[in-house]
Amino acid sequence: MTSQPARLLCLHSIHDNPGEAPVQSAFRDPAFLSTHHFTADVLHDHKGLQTAVAYGYHQLTAQILAWIEARAAEIDVFITARKTAGLQALVSTDLMTLPVTAKAEIDDYSLWSDAGRQWHKAVFDAVFQRFPQLDGIVVRTGEAYDHDLPHHFGRAAFDALSPAEAVLAHIDLISWLRTVACEGHDRLVVYRTWAFGGIHTSPDIYRTIADAVPPHDKLIFSSKHTAGDFHRGLPFNPTLGQSHHRQIVEVQCQREYEGKGAIPNYIARGVIDGFEETKGQYPGSLSDLMAHPNFSGIWVWSRGGGWRGPHIAHDFWPALNASVLAAWAADPQGGEEKAFFEVATSDFGFDNTNAQRLRELCLISEAAVVKGKLSQVAAINPYWWRDEFLGGIVPDAVNAEAHPEKWGILNNSFAAIRQQGLAEAVLDEKAAALDLWQQAVSLSRDLTCKNPQTTAFIRLSTLYAFHLQRLINAAWTAFLMDGTPGAEAIINAALTDYDQAWADYRQLTEAPLCPTLCQPFRFVNTPPTFHDLYGMQSGIDALKARYGLVTTY
């Protein structure tokens, strides 16, 4: 077993939306990161690292070469600035990022052939020679983004592998990276378990893979804190605290499934000390992991994740989460609450009275988000709301064609709720969430800090959450009560409430700091719109047609 470091690592990154302009944030400044307890910064811009060397091209045109040199210059600037600020510099890359000229001969670049493995080793040798000050790489195998790559394409490394084959492939690949990068170039390899085949969520599969690879001080496994994607309602990731390798824990601060910073959403306390849904689980939090000798730190995503909006003009909520997590990592023995009040007063300029009010609002948000989006009494497809897209009921033919967890579809969830007689209990949870957001609105009116824009945004974001919950509650009432004998009056009232909630929600855009609004369409992973015409609004329109009402959306 390796020994726990005297200080936890605290990696940082900004996960820009693929294909969109980079967000503006103080967290892009390495001097800011250095003075706010971070130890490393990860360039996570979806352009990769292999793209910065001119290796493997059949036809290296002047245009391609100019792009490669510009990419290398971007990485040079990133590394130099981080080293100057006293930070480690890492670059994130999708392992299967290849020149477009290789598409016709993709099998020649396979990670599972001798020739392909030699090609990839030559690329990494060239990369590490080109960037001698680069401290390490972050490797993702489960997905590949190439939206910002005009001369390269990406492919998930484990495409078409069975679960059993994926286990062997992970062992082989991690061992190879350990040899090539850790031993061959003395570089850090952060191996993300965000892949398919069970390594991310199954303790047995994780141990089978990790136990087969000898530990190395430069090899770190990185996993999300949730047993799945960054959803509330999920257990703490059960692979954390397993096996003999160093581990870091990924935390998303601008939650892509919970409003993306447009609403109050304080998750730092729950990640550090445990959410309600992780009670009774051990380990169930970062604090629990402190007892494990291989827990080496955290990786904080201060901004980003997912696609599209809501886009925010003020990053207070994700910045608060990121700052508290980093402060805790610098002094875990002090605890989350101590870190919170230090950040609230020192970083954001709240006096003690208003810092306490902010604390109350944050704890309200922790409860309101899970009650408002999900359920603690029934299973809800968590993908019904992601990014700026609000799903709902879709026609039966569309639902029949969908994967059980297809983005934005609630048909199956609602059918099960009705069958189990849980509609009233679920709607009671939504009403409780609305009550909590009303408390937050009232509390925010008495809350001030030294920055007037921050004060204004906190108040606006609580109103945003309140009106958004109103329209969700109205839609869910209409959907869940549909087909209930004698519920016509309830449904008609809900449909009217829905229209009024939308009108009040839209009115918020008159404020200069208002985030962009959610859209009542389900997410579909197809750019550039990332939605189709089904979702919350189409379901409401169908009910209005049945009940003789006119849609006003």
Side-chain angles (χ1 to χ4, degrees), residues 360-378:
E360 293 176 37
L361 198 160
C362 286
L363 297 182
I364 287 172
S365 77
E366 183 183 306
V369 164
V370 72
K371 291 179 183 294
K373 182 190 173 179
L374 300 170
S375 173
Q376 294 168 307
V377 299

Side-chain angles (χ1 to χ4, degrees), residues 442-461:
S442 298
L443 188 60
S444 71
R445 291 174 181 147
D446 296 325
L447 189 152
T448 59
C449 78
K450 68 178 182 181
N451 186 324
Q453 283 201 324
T454 300
T455 300
F457 180 75
I458 290 172
R459 294 173 182 175
L460 178 63
S461 64

Side-chain angles (χ1 to χ4, degrees), residues 146-161:
D146 53 16
H147 304 71
D148 300 288
L149 297 176
H151 307 296
H152 298 77
F153 74 101
R155 194 179 82 171
F158 296 159
D159 275 0
L161 295 184

Side-chain angles (χ1 to χ4, degrees), residues 121-446:
K121 180 182 183 302
V123 170
F124 276 115
D125 287 342
V127 161
F128 293 136
Q129 183 177 2
R130 173 62 182 79
F131 303 107
Q133 284 196 299
L134 180 68
D135 291 289
I137 57 174
V138 177
V139 175
R140 180 174 72 165
T141 61
E143 296 176 285
Y145 294 163
D146 53 16
H147 304 71
D148 300 288
L149 297 176
H151 307 296
H152 298 77
F153 74 101
R155 194 179 82 171
F158 296 159
D159 275 0
L161 295 184
S162 70
E165 290 171 332
V167 168
L168 296 176
H170 276 296
I171 294 170
D172 186 35
L173 181 57
I174 297 167
S175 299
W176 179 78
L177 288 167
R178 182 185 184 276
T179 299
V180 171
C182 302
E183 294 182 343
H185 291 277
D186 195 32
R187 306 300 174 97
L188 189 68
V189 172
V190 178
Y191 192 82
R192 296 191 64 196
T193 66
W194 185 242
F196 304 100
I199 186 175
H200 184 64
T201 56
S202 168
D204 290 339
I205 292 175
Y206 178 89
R207 282 194 301 268
T208 298
I209 294 168
D211 289 353
V213 180
H216 192 289
D217 193 55
K218 294 283 186 178
L219 176 61
I220 299 177
F221 284 62
S222 178
S223 302
K224 297 181 180 182
H225 67 90
T226 40
D229 212 346
F230 289 116
H231 297 290
R232 285 292 308 276
L234 290 179
F236 196 69
N237 193 329
T239 68
L240 293 170
Q242 301 288 336
S243 194
H244 52 205
H245 289 278
R246 300 176 68 190
Q247 291 180 315
I248 60 174
V249 181
E250 302 174 21
V251 187
Q252 183 186 60
C253 297
Q254 187 184 11
R255 309 281 282 194
E256 66 194 88
Y257 300 105
E258 300 155 8
K260 296 190 82 167
I263 66 174
N265 188 12
Y266 182 64
I267 53 88
R269 191 213 66 81
V271 174
I272 292 169
D273 289 334
F275 289 107
E276 183 176 353
E277 57 264 29
T278 64
K279 285 181 179 178
Q281 182 184 359
Y282 188 86
S285 66
L286 295 183
S287 293
D288 288 346
L289 284 180
M290 289 298 296
H292 195 281
N294 294 326
F295 174 49
S296 295
I298 58 177
W299 176 11
V300 176
W301 303 12
S302 69
R303 291 289 299 274
W307 311 85
R308 298 291 294 267
H311 298 290
I312 53 177
H314 197 301
D315 67 350
F316 174 75
W317 296 112
L320 177 65
N321 283 320
S323 299
V324 172
L325 285 160
W328 173 84
D331 179 23
Q333 301 306 319
E336 176 272 336
E337 188 169 359
K338 176 176 178 286
F340 175 90
F341 282 108
E342 286 181 356
V343 167
T345 54
S346 299
D347 292 0
F348 292 104
F350 291 92
D351 61 29
N352 290 336
T353 298
N354 282 287
Q356 185 59 51
R357 289 177 181 142
L358 178 65
R359 178 75 174 177
E360 293 176 37
L361 198 160
C362 286
L363 297 182
I364 287 172
S365 77
E366 183 183 306
V369 164
V370 72
K371 291 179 183 294
K373 182 190 173 179
L374 300 170
S375 173
Q376 294 168 307
V377 299
I380 302 289
N381 174 7
Y383 295 101
W384 75 266
W385 172 20
R386 65 156 301 157
D387 305 298
E388 64 189 49
F389 304 109
L390 302 173
I393 299 293
V394 302
D396 290 339
V398 175
N399 187 41
E401 296 173 357
H403 183 276
E405 286 193 347
K406 184 69 176 179
W407 313 117
I409 295 180
L410 283 167
N411 296 43
N412 296 347
S413 297
F414 284 171
I417 288 169
R418 292 192 205 94
Q419 185 177 12
Q420 296 164 20
L422 294 174
E424 183 176 351
V426 170
L427 293 176
D428 284 346
E429 286 180 313
K430 299 294 163 282
L434 189 62
D435 287 342
L436 288 169
W437 287 127
Q438 180 64 73
Q439 294 175 37
V441 169
S442 298
L443 188 60
S444 71
R445 291 174 181 147
D446 296 325

